[in-house]
PDB file of all heavy atoms in Angstrom:
ATOM      1  N   LEU A   2      15.972  32.245  49.203  1.00  0.00           N
ATOM      2  CA  LEU A   2      15.150  31.699  48.138  1.00  0.00           C
ATOM      3  C   LEU A   2      15.882  30.564  47.439  1.00  0.00           C
ATOM      4  O   LEU A   2      17.093  30.631  47.242  1.00  0.00           O
ATOM      5  CB  LEU A   2      14.797  32.789  47.119  1.00  0.00           C
ATOM      6  CG  LEU A   2      13.890  33.907  47.629  1.00  0.00           C
ATOM      7  CD1 LEU A   2      13.749  34.975  46.558  1.00  0.00           C
ATOM      8  CD2 LEU A   2      12.520  33.349  48.009  1.00  0.00           C
ATOM      9  N   PRO A   3      15.164  29.525  47.012  1.00  0.00           N
ATOM     10  CA  PRO A   3      15.814  28.452  46.270  1.00  0.00           C
ATOM     11  C   PRO A   3      16.268  28.934  44.903  1.00  0.00           C
ATOM     12  O   PRO A   3      15.568  29.680  44.230  1.00  0.00           O
ATOM     13  CB  PRO A   3      14.717  27.383  46.156  1.00  0.00           C
ATOM     14  CG  PRO A   3      13.428  28.119  46.320  1.00  0.00           C
ATOM     15  CD  PRO A   3      13.725  29.262  47.238  1.00  0.00           C
ATOM     16  N   ASP A   4      17.466  28.523  44.487  1.00  0.00           N
ATOM     17  CA  ASP A   4      17.991  28.978  43.197  1.00  0.00           C
ATOM     18  C   ASP A   4      18.711  27.857  42.444  1.00  0.00           C
ATOM     19  O   ASP A   4      19.556  28.107  41.595  1.00  0.00           O
ATOM     20  CB  ASP A   4      18.931  30.166  43.384  1.00  0.00           C
ATOM     21  CG  ASP A   4      20.107  29.874  44.297  1.00  0.00           C
ATOM     22  OD1 ASP A   4      20.242  28.708  44.737  1.00  0.00           O
ATOM     23  OD2 ASP A   4      20.893  30.795  44.576  1.00  0.00           O
ATOM     24  N   TYR A   5      18.381  26.613  42.763  1.00  0.00           N
ATOM     25  CA  TYR A   5      18.958  25.451  42.096  1.00  0.00           C
ATOM     26  C   TYR A   5      17.947  25.026  41.030  1.00  0.00           C
ATOM     27  O   TYR A   5      17.006  24.288  41.280  1.00  0.00           O
ATOM     28  CB  TYR A   5      19.162  24.347  43.141  1.00  0.00           C
ATOM     29  CG  TYR A   5      19.999  23.169  42.737  1.00  0.00           C
ATOM     30  CD1 TYR A   5      21.348  23.099  43.087  1.00  0.00           C
ATOM     31  CD2 TYR A   5      19.456  22.105  42.038  1.00  0.00           C
ATOM     32  CE1 TYR A   5      22.111  21.993  42.746  1.00  0.00           C
ATOM     33  CE2 TYR A   5      20.208  20.996  41.690  1.00  0.00           C
ATOM     34  CZ  TYR A   5      21.539  20.946  42.057  1.00  0.00           C
ATOM     35  OH  TYR A   5      22.304  19.856  41.718  1.00  0.00           O
ATOM     36  N   ASP A   6      18.119  25.574  39.801  1.00  0.00           N
ATOM     37  CA  ASP A   6      17.071  25.509  38.783  1.00  0.00           C
ATOM     38  C   ASP A   6      17.240  24.314  37.844  1.00  0.00           C
ATOM     39  O   ASP A   6      18.338  24.051  37.348  1.00  0.00           O
ATOM     40  CB  ASP A   6      17.075  26.787  37.937  1.00  0.00           C
ATOM     41  CG  ASP A   6      16.722  28.018  38.745  1.00  0.00           C
ATOM     42  OD1 ASP A   6      16.200  27.865  39.850  1.00  0.00           O
ATOM     43  OD2 ASP A   6      16.970  29.137  38.256  1.00  0.00           O
ATOM     44  N   VAL A   7      16.139  23.628  37.597  1.00  0.00           N
ATOM     45  CA  VAL A   7      16.100  22.540  36.623  1.00  0.00           C
ATOM     46  C   VAL A   7      14.796  22.648  35.826  1.00  0.00           C
ATOM     47  O   VAL A   7      13.864  23.337  36.230  1.00  0.00           O
ATOM     48  CB  VAL A   7      16.172  21.150  37.293  1.00  0.00           C
ATOM     49  CG1 VAL A   7      17.472  20.977  38.059  1.00  0.00           C
ATOM     50  CG2 VAL A   7      14.968  20.922  38.201  1.00  0.00           C
ATOM     51  N   VAL A   8      14.772  21.972  34.689  1.00  0.00           N
ATOM     52  CA  VAL A   8      13.553  21.872  33.897  1.00  0.00           C
ATOM     53  C   VAL A   8      13.107  20.417  33.885  1.00  0.00           C
ATOM     54  O   VAL A   8      13.874  19.526  33.510  1.00  0.00           O
ATOM     55  CB  VAL A   8      13.769  22.367  32.454  1.00  0.00           C
ATOM     56  CG1 VAL A   8      12.527  22.077  31.609  1.00  0.00           C
ATOM     57  CG2 VAL A   8      14.068  23.862  32.442  1.00  0.00           C
ATOM     58  N   LEU A   9      11.884  20.185  34.317  1.00  0.00           N
ATOM     59  CA  LEU A   9      11.297  18.849  34.298  1.00  0.00           C
ATOM     60  C   LEU A   9      10.427  18.712  33.051  1.00  0.00           C
ATOM     61  O   LEU A   9       9.546  19.537  32.815  1.00  0.00           O
ATOM     62  CB  LEU A   9      10.423  18.609  35.531  1.00  0.00           C
ATOM     63  CG  LEU A   9      11.016  18.924  36.912  1.00  0.00           C
ATOM     64  CD1 LEU A   9       9.991  18.562  37.996  1.00  0.00           C
ATOM     65  CD2 LEU A   9      12.310  18.195  37.124  1.00  0.00           C
ATOM     66  N   THR A  10      10.682  17.696  32.252  1.00  0.00           N
ATOM     67  CA  THR A  10       9.753  17.355  31.170  1.00  0.00           C
ATOM     68  C   THR A  10       8.790  16.317  31.723  1.00  0.00           C
ATOM     69  O   THR A  10       9.206  15.221  32.133  1.00  0.00           O
ATOM     70  CB  THR A  10      10.505  16.786  29.955  1.00  0.00           C
ATOM     71  OG1 THR A  10      11.433  17.772  29.490  1.00  0.00           O
ATOM     72  CG2 THR A  10       9.532  16.450  28.837  1.00  0.00           C
ATOM     73  N   VAL A  11       7.500  16.684  31.778  1.00  0.00           N
ATOM     74  CA  VAL A  11       6.505  15.838  32.439  1.00  0.00           C
ATOM     75  C   VAL A  11       5.402  15.443  31.462  1.00  0.00           C
ATOM     76  O   VAL A  11       5.058  16.191  30.543  1.00  0.00           O
ATOM     77  CB  VAL A  11       5.894  16.552  33.667  1.00  0.00           C
ATOM     78  CG1 VAL A  11       6.963  16.857  34.699  1.00  0.00           C
ATOM     79  CG2 VAL A  11       5.187  17.841  33.259  1.00  0.00           C
ATOM     80  N   ARG A  12       4.862  14.248  31.692  1.00  0.00           N
ATOM     81  CA  ARG A  12       3.756  13.719  30.885  1.00  0.00           C
ATOM     82  C   ARG A  12       2.562  13.498  31.792  1.00  0.00           C
ATOM     83  O   ARG A  12       2.690  12.874  32.851  1.00  0.00           O
ATOM     84  CB  ARG A  12       4.156  12.402  30.219  1.00  0.00           C
ATOM     85  CG  ARG A  12       3.110  11.832  29.252  1.00  0.00           C
ATOM     86  CD  ARG A  12       3.605  10.497  28.726  1.00  0.00           C
ATOM     87  NE  ARG A  12       2.808  10.009  27.604  1.00  0.00           N
ATOM     88  CZ  ARG A  12       1.670   9.315  27.715  1.00  0.00           C
ATOM     89  NH1 ARG A  12       1.174   9.034  28.919  1.00  0.00           N
ATOM     90  NH2 ARG A  12       1.016   8.922  26.631  1.00  0.00           N
ATOM     91  N   ASN A  13       1.438  14.067  31.399  1.00  0.00           N
ATOM     92  CA  ASN A  13       0.208  13.906  32.173  1.00  0.00           C
ATOM     93  C   ASN A  13      -0.949  13.540  31.252  1.00  0.00           C
ATOM     94  O   ASN A  13      -0.960  13.909  30.071  1.00  0.00           O
ATOM     95  CB  ASN A  13      -0.162  15.198  32.908  1.00  0.00           C
ATOM     96  CG  ASN A  13       0.645  15.398  34.167  1.00  0.00           C
ATOM     97  OD1 ASN A  13       1.508  16.264  34.214  1.00  0.00           O
ATOM     98  ND2 ASN A  13       0.382  14.609  35.195  1.00  0.00           N
ATOM     99  N   ALA A  14      -1.918  12.852  31.840  1.00  0.00           N
ATOM    100  CA  ALA A  14      -3.145  12.551  31.108  1.00  0.00           C
ATOM    101  C   ALA A  14      -3.946  13.844  30.902  1.00  0.00           C
ATOM    102  O   ALA A  14      -3.848  14.792  31.683  1.00  0.00           O
ATOM    103  CB  ALA A  14      -3.990  11.539  31.876  1.00  0.00           C
ATOM    104  N   GLN A  15      -4.732  13.846  29.820  1.00  0.00           N
ATOM    105  CA  GLN A  15      -5.574  15.008  29.518  1.00  0.00           C
ATOM    106  C   GLN A  15      -6.836  14.950  30.368  1.00  0.00           C
ATOM    107  O   GLN A  15      -7.923  14.641  29.902  1.00  0.00           O
ATOM    108  CB  GLN A  15      -5.947  15.009  28.023  1.00  0.00           C
ATOM    109  CG  GLN A  15      -4.873  15.601  27.140  1.00  0.00           C
ATOM    110  CD  GLN A  15      -4.915  17.134  27.146  1.00  0.00           C
ATOM    111  OE1 GLN A  15      -5.238  17.735  28.167  1.00  0.00           O
ATOM    112  NE2 GLN A  15      -4.575  17.741  26.039  1.00  0.00           N
ATOM    113  N   ARG A  16      -6.655  15.282  31.657  1.00  0.00           N
ATOM    114  CA  ARG A  16      -7.799  15.331  32.571  1.00  0.00           C
ATOM    115  C   ARG A  16      -7.689  16.575  33.427  1.00  0.00           C
ATOM    116  O   ARG A  16      -6.582  17.020  33.756  1.00  0.00           O
ATOM    117  CB  ARG A  16      -7.824  14.089  33.476  1.00  0.00           C
ATOM    118  CG  ARG A  16      -7.997  12.778  32.751  1.00  0.00           C
ATOM    119  CD  ARG A  16      -8.549  11.703  33.704  1.00  0.00           C
ATOM    120  NE  ARG A  16      -7.795  11.608  34.935  1.00  0.00           N
ATOM    121  CZ  ARG A  16      -6.732  10.818  35.109  1.00  0.00           C
ATOM    122  NH1 ARG A  16      -6.281  10.087  34.097  1.00  0.00           N
ATOM    123  NH2 ARG A  16      -6.106  10.772  36.269  1.00  0.00           N
ATOM    124  N   PRO A  17      -8.819  17.145  33.812  1.00  0.00           N
ATOM    125  CA  PRO A  17      -8.790  18.338  34.655  1.00  0.00           C
ATOM    126  C   PRO A  17      -8.052  18.070  35.965  1.00  0.00           C
ATOM    127  O   PRO A  17      -8.174  16.983  36.555  1.00  0.00           O
ATOM    128  CB  PRO A  17     -10.269  18.647  34.902  1.00  0.00           C
ATOM    129  CG  PRO A  17     -10.983  18.015  33.757  1.00  0.00           C
ATOM    130  CD  PRO A  17     -10.207  16.773  33.434  1.00  0.00           C
ATOM    131  N   GLY A  18      -7.294  19.072  36.428  1.00  0.00           N
ATOM    132  CA  GLY A  18      -6.639  19.002  37.732  1.00  0.00           C
ATOM    133  C   GLY A  18      -5.274  18.359  37.738  1.00  0.00           C
ATOM    134  O   GLY A  18      -4.594  18.388  38.780  1.00  0.00           O
ATOM    135  N   MET A  19      -4.822  17.803  36.620  1.00  0.00           N
ATOM    136  CA  MET A  19      -3.543  17.101  36.625  1.00  0.00           C
ATOM    137  C   MET A  19      -2.376  18.063  36.845  1.00  0.00           C
ATOM    138  O   MET A  19      -1.504  17.810  37.678  1.00  0.00           O
ATOM    139  CB  MET A  19      -3.361  16.351  35.307  1.00  0.00           C
ATOM    140  CG  MET A  19      -4.417  15.282  35.044  1.00  0.00           C
ATOM    141  SD  MET A  19      -4.395  13.986  36.305  1.00  0.00           S
ATOM    142  CE  MET A  19      -2.879  13.151  35.874  1.00  0.00           C
ATOM    143  N   ILE A  20      -2.356  19.169  36.101  1.00  0.00           N
ATOM    144  CA  ILE A  20      -1.256  20.116  36.260  1.00  0.00           C
ATOM    145  C   ILE A  20      -1.353  20.820  37.612  1.00  0.00           C
ATOM    146  O   ILE A  20      -0.340  21.108  38.266  1.00  0.00           O
ATOM    147  CB  ILE A  20      -1.227  21.127  35.102  1.00  0.00           C
ATOM    148  CG1 ILE A  20       0.063  21.948  35.147  1.00  0.00           C
ATOM    149  CG2 ILE A  20      -2.430  22.047  35.133  1.00  0.00           C
ATOM    150  CD1 ILE A  20       1.303  21.165  34.870  1.00  0.00           C
ATOM    151  N   GLY A  21      -2.568  21.064  38.088  1.00  0.00           N
ATOM    152  CA  GLY A  21      -2.739  21.684  39.399  1.00  0.00           C
ATOM    153  C   GLY A  21      -2.193  20.813  40.505  1.00  0.00           C
ATOM    154  O   GLY A  21      -1.553  21.304  41.442  1.00  0.00           O
ATOM    155  N   ALA A  22      -2.428  19.502  40.415  1.00  0.00           N
ATOM    156  CA  ALA A  22      -1.906  18.579  41.423  1.00  0.00           C
ATOM    157  C   ALA A  22      -0.380  18.581  41.419  1.00  0.00           C
ATOM    158  O   ALA A  22       0.260  18.559  42.480  1.00  0.00           O
ATOM    159  CB  ALA A  22      -2.443  17.175  41.159  1.00  0.00           C
ATOM    160  N   LEU A  23       0.188  18.595  40.231  1.00  0.00           N
ATOM    161  CA  LEU A  23       1.646  18.611  40.123  1.00  0.00           C
ATOM    162  C   LEU A  23       2.226  19.865  40.770  1.00  0.00           C
ATOM    163  O   LEU A  23       3.154  19.784  41.593  1.00  0.00           O
ATOM    164  CB  LEU A  23       2.054  18.546  38.647  1.00  0.00           C
ATOM    165  CG  LEU A  23       3.526  18.820  38.332  1.00  0.00           C
ATOM    166  CD1 LEU A  23       4.414  17.761  38.950  1.00  0.00           C
ATOM    167  CD2 LEU A  23       3.738  18.913  36.825  1.00  0.00           C
ATOM    168  N   LEU A  24       1.677  21.034  40.423  1.00  0.00           N
ATOM    169  CA  LEU A  24       2.206  22.271  40.967  1.00  0.00           C
ATOM    170  C   LEU A  24       1.997  22.362  42.472  1.00  0.00           C
ATOM    171  O   LEU A  24       2.835  22.904  43.202  1.00  0.00           O
ATOM    172  CB  LEU A  24       1.551  23.467  40.271  1.00  0.00           C
ATOM    173  CG  LEU A  24       1.732  23.546  38.744  1.00  0.00           C
ATOM    174  CD1 LEU A  24       1.108  24.827  38.198  1.00  0.00           C
ATOM    175  CD2 LEU A  24       3.199  23.467  38.362  1.00  0.00           C
ATOM    176  N   GLY A  25       0.890  21.815  42.942  1.00  0.00           N
ATOM    177  CA  GLY A  25       0.627  21.820  44.376  1.00  0.00           C
ATOM    178  C   GLY A  25       1.654  21.026  45.151  1.00  0.00           C
ATOM    179  O   GLY A  25       2.142  21.466  46.196  1.00  0.00           O
ATOM    180  N   VAL A  26       2.025  19.849  44.651  1.00  0.00           N
ATOM    181  CA  VAL A  26       3.018  19.012  45.337  1.00  0.00           C
ATOM    182  C   VAL A  26       4.383  19.698  45.337  1.00  0.00           C
ATOM    183  O   VAL A  26       5.102  19.684  46.341  1.00  0.00           O
ATOM    184  CB  VAL A  26       3.090  17.618  44.673  1.00  0.00           C
ATOM    185  CG1 VAL A  26       4.331  16.869  45.135  1.00  0.00           C
ATOM    186  CG2 VAL A  26       1.840  16.829  44.998  1.00  0.00           C
ATOM    187  N   ILE A  27       4.735  20.325  44.213  1.00  0.00           N
ATOM    188  CA  ILE A  27       6.023  21.035  44.152  1.00  0.00           C
ATOM    189  C   ILE A  27       6.069  22.130  45.217  1.00  0.00           C
ATOM    190  O   ILE A  27       7.044  22.266  45.962  1.00  0.00           O
ATOM    191  CB  ILE A  27       6.240  21.630  42.751  1.00  0.00           C
ATOM    192  CG1 ILE A  27       6.424  20.513  41.721  1.00  0.00           C
ATOM    193  CG2 ILE A  27       7.451  22.565  42.739  1.00  0.00           C
ATOM    194  CD1 ILE A  27       6.439  20.991  40.277  1.00  0.00           C
ATOM    195  N   GLY A  28       4.981  22.910  45.322  1.00  0.00           N
ATOM    196  CA  GLY A  28       4.933  23.972  46.312  1.00  0.00           C
ATOM    197  C   GLY A  28       4.907  23.457  47.734  1.00  0.00           C
ATOM    198  O   GLY A  28       5.559  24.024  48.622  1.00  0.00           O
ATOM    199  N   GLU A  29       4.173  22.381  47.981  1.00  0.00           N
ATOM    200  CA  GLU A  29       4.091  21.817  49.328  1.00  0.00           C
ATOM    201  C   GLU A  29       5.448  21.345  49.842  1.00  0.00           C
ATOM    202  O   GLU A  29       5.691  21.334  51.054  1.00  0.00           O
ATOM    203  CB  GLU A  29       3.102  20.650  49.339  1.00  0.00           C
ATOM    204  CG  GLU A  29       1.648  21.076  49.217  1.00  0.00           C
ATOM    205  CD  GLU A  29       0.733  19.897  48.936  1.00  0.00           C
ATOM    206  OE1 GLU A  29       1.229  18.755  48.965  1.00  0.00           O
ATOM    207  OE2 GLU A  29      -0.459  20.126  48.677  1.00  0.00           O
ATOM    208  N   HIS A  30       6.327  20.982  48.937  1.00  0.00           N
ATOM    209  CA  HIS A  30       7.653  20.502  49.336  1.00  0.00           C
ATOM    210  C   HIS A  30       8.722  21.593  49.240  1.00  0.00           C
ATOM    211  O   HIS A  30       9.914  21.294  49.226  1.00  0.00           O
ATOM    212  CB  HIS A  30       8.042  19.281  48.507  1.00  0.00           C
ATOM    213  CG  HIS A  30       7.287  18.046  48.919  1.00  0.00           C
ATOM    214  ND1 HIS A  30       7.773  17.138  49.835  1.00  0.00           N
ATOM    215  CD2 HIS A  30       6.053  17.602  48.565  1.00  0.00           C
ATOM    216  CE1 HIS A  30       6.886  16.175  50.014  1.00  0.00           C
ATOM    217  NE2 HIS A  30       5.822  16.429  49.249  1.00  0.00           N
ATOM    218  N   GLY A  31       8.297  22.864  49.202  1.00  0.00           N
ATOM    219  CA  GLY A  31       9.214  23.976  49.383  1.00  0.00           C
ATOM    220  C   GLY A  31       9.965  24.447  48.165  1.00  0.00           C
ATOM    221  O   GLY A  31      10.894  25.250  48.284  1.00  0.00           O
ATOM    222  N   ALA A  32       9.586  23.981  46.982  1.00  0.00           N
ATOM    223  CA  ALA A  32      10.247  24.441  45.763  1.00  0.00           C
ATOM    224  C   ALA A  32       9.396  25.496  45.067  1.00  0.00           C
ATOM    225  O   ALA A  32       8.204  25.635  45.343  1.00  0.00           O
ATOM    226  CB  ALA A  32      10.520  23.264  44.828  1.00  0.00           C
ATOM    227  N   LEU A  33       9.994  26.225  44.164  1.00  0.00           N
ATOM    228  CA  LEU A  33       9.301  27.247  43.399  1.00  0.00           C
ATOM    229  C   LEU A  33       9.100  26.775  41.962  1.00  0.00           C
ATOM    230  O   LEU A  33       9.929  26.047  41.417  1.00  0.00           O
ATOM    231  CB  LEU A  33      10.088  28.555  43.386  1.00  0.00           C
ATOM    232  CG  LEU A  33      10.300  29.252  44.733  1.00  0.00           C
ATOM    233  CD1 LEU A  33      11.125  30.520  44.530  1.00  0.00           C
ATOM    234  CD2 LEU A  33       8.972  29.589  45.391  1.00  0.00           C
ATOM    235  N   VAL A  34       8.025  27.235  41.345  1.00  0.00           N
ATOM    236  CA  VAL A  34       7.739  26.930  39.947  1.00  0.00           C
ATOM    237  C   VAL A  34       7.963  28.183  39.120  1.00  0.00           C
ATOM    238  O   VAL A  34       7.482  29.268  39.472  1.00  0.00           O
ATOM    239  CB  VAL A  34       6.297  26.425  39.761  1.00  0.00           C
ATOM    240  CG1 VAL A  34       5.989  26.223  38.283  1.00  0.00           C
ATOM    241  CG2 VAL A  34       6.087  25.132  40.538  1.00  0.00           C
ATOM    242  N   GLY A  35       8.714  28.027  38.022  1.00  0.00           N
ATOM    243  CA  GLY A  35       8.943  29.135  37.112  1.00  0.00           C
ATOM    244  C   GLY A  35       8.136  28.970  35.838  1.00  0.00           C
ATOM    245  O   GLY A  35       6.918  28.784  35.877  1.00  0.00           O
ATOM    246  N   ASP A  36       8.803  28.991  34.710  1.00  0.00           N
ATOM    247  CA  ASP A  36       8.118  28.898  33.419  1.00  0.00           C
ATOM    248  C   ASP A  36       7.483  27.519  33.218  1.00  0.00           C
ATOM    249  O   ASP A  36       8.024  26.490  33.649  1.00  0.00           O
ATOM    250  CB  ASP A  36       9.105  29.150  32.276  1.00  0.00           C
ATOM    251  CG  ASP A  36       9.623  30.583  32.259  1.00  0.00           C
ATOM    252  OD1 ASP A  36       8.942  31.448  32.835  1.00  0.00           O
ATOM    253  OD2 ASP A  36      10.694  30.808  31.688  1.00  0.00           O
ATOM    254  N   ILE A  37       6.340  27.522  32.540  1.00  0.00           N
ATOM    255  CA  ILE A  37       5.675  26.280  32.129  1.00  0.00           C
ATOM    256  C   ILE A  37       5.428  26.383  30.628  1.00  0.00           C
ATOM    257  O   ILE A  37       4.770  27.311  30.163  1.00  0.00           O
ATOM    258  CB  ILE A  37       4.347  26.074  32.874  1.00  0.00           C
ATOM    259  CG1 ILE A  37       4.583  26.031  34.392  1.00  0.00           C
ATOM    260  CG2 ILE A  37       3.662  24.796  32.401  1.00  0.00           C
ATOM    261  CD1 ILE A  37       3.298  25.964  35.200  1.00  0.00           C
ATOM    262  N   GLU A  38       5.965  25.457  29.873  1.00  0.00           N
ATOM    263  CA  GLU A  38       5.845  25.480  28.420  1.00  0.00           C
ATOM    264  C   GLU A  38       5.269  24.157  27.921  1.00  0.00           C
ATOM    265  O   GLU A  38       5.790  23.088  28.244  1.00  0.00           O
ATOM    266  CB  GLU A  38       7.211  25.719  27.768  1.00  0.00           C
ATOM    267  CG  GLU A  38       7.163  25.766  26.248  1.00  0.00           C
ATOM    268  CD  GLU A  38       8.525  25.972  25.629  1.00  0.00           C
ATOM    269  OE1 GLU A  38       9.509  26.159  26.376  1.00  0.00           O
ATOM    270  OE2 GLU A  38       8.612  25.929  24.386  1.00  0.00           O
ATOM    271  N   THR A  39       4.184  24.242  27.172  1.00  0.00           N
ATOM    272  CA  THR A  39       3.586  23.044  26.589  1.00  0.00           C
ATOM    273  C   THR A  39       4.377  22.637  25.346  1.00  0.00           C
ATOM    274  O   THR A  39       4.514  23.419  24.410  1.00  0.00           O
ATOM    275  CB  THR A  39       2.121  23.292  26.220  1.00  0.00           C
ATOM    276  OG1 THR A  39       1.402  23.661  27.402  1.00  0.00           O
ATOM    277  CG2 THR A  39       1.499  22.039  25.620  1.00  0.00           C
ATOM    278  N   ARG A  40       4.874  21.421  25.348  1.00  0.00           N
ATOM    279  CA  ARG A  40       5.680  20.939  24.223  1.00  0.00           C
ATOM    280  C   ARG A  40       4.863  20.097  23.235  1.00  0.00           C
ATOM    281  O   ARG A  40       5.147  20.070  22.054  1.00  0.00           O
ATOM    282  CB  ARG A  40       6.851  20.091  24.747  1.00  0.00           C
ATOM    283  CG  ARG A  40       7.862  20.875  25.570  1.00  0.00           C
ATOM    284  CD  ARG A  40       9.015  20.003  25.983  1.00  0.00           C
ATOM    285  NE  ARG A  40       9.641  19.359  24.823  1.00  0.00           N
ATOM    286  CZ  ARG A  40      10.552  18.390  24.903  1.00  0.00           C
ATOM    287  NH1 ARG A  40      10.930  17.951  26.094  1.00  0.00           N
ATOM    288  NH2 ARG A  40      11.068  17.865  23.811  1.00  0.00           N
ATOM    289  N   TYR A  41       3.813  19.407  23.753  1.00  0.00           N
ATOM    290  CA  TYR A  41       3.048  18.515  22.880  1.00  0.00           C
ATOM    291  C   TYR A  41       1.679  18.290  23.502  1.00  0.00           C
ATOM    292  O   TYR A  41       1.552  18.097  24.718  1.00  0.00           O
ATOM    293  CB  TYR A  41       3.771  17.174  22.716  1.00  0.00           C
ATOM    294  CG  TYR A  41       2.985  16.135  21.940  1.00  0.00           C
ATOM    295  CD1 TYR A  41       2.906  16.183  20.545  1.00  0.00           C
ATOM    296  CD2 TYR A  41       2.314  15.102  22.596  1.00  0.00           C
ATOM    297  CE1 TYR A  41       2.183  15.241  19.835  1.00  0.00           C
ATOM    298  CE2 TYR A  41       1.594  14.153  21.899  1.00  0.00           C
ATOM    299  CZ  TYR A  41       1.532  14.229  20.518  1.00  0.00           C
ATOM    300  OH  TYR A  41       0.807  13.286  19.816  1.00  0.00           O
ATOM    301  N   VAL A  42       0.661  18.322  22.676  1.00  0.00           N
ATOM    302  CA  VAL A  42      -0.693  18.001  23.122  1.00  0.00           C
ATOM    303  C   VAL A  42      -1.200  16.843  22.271  1.00  0.00           C
ATOM    304  O   VAL A  42      -1.357  16.974  21.045  1.00  0.00           O
ATOM    305  CB  VAL A  42      -1.638  19.213  22.992  1.00  0.00           C
ATOM    306  CG1 VAL A  42      -3.057  18.816  23.419  1.00  0.00           C
ATOM    307  CG2 VAL A  42      -1.126  20.387  23.818  1.00  0.00           C
TER     308      VAL A  42
END
């Protein structure tokens, strides 16, 4: 299992599917997603 952990601070537009697209690309390239925390809306 991958265990090289980092936290990405990401900015996305307020549109449906943006976070889903991001998580999909991360998974497609073999990485795992852990906690997701909203910092600002």
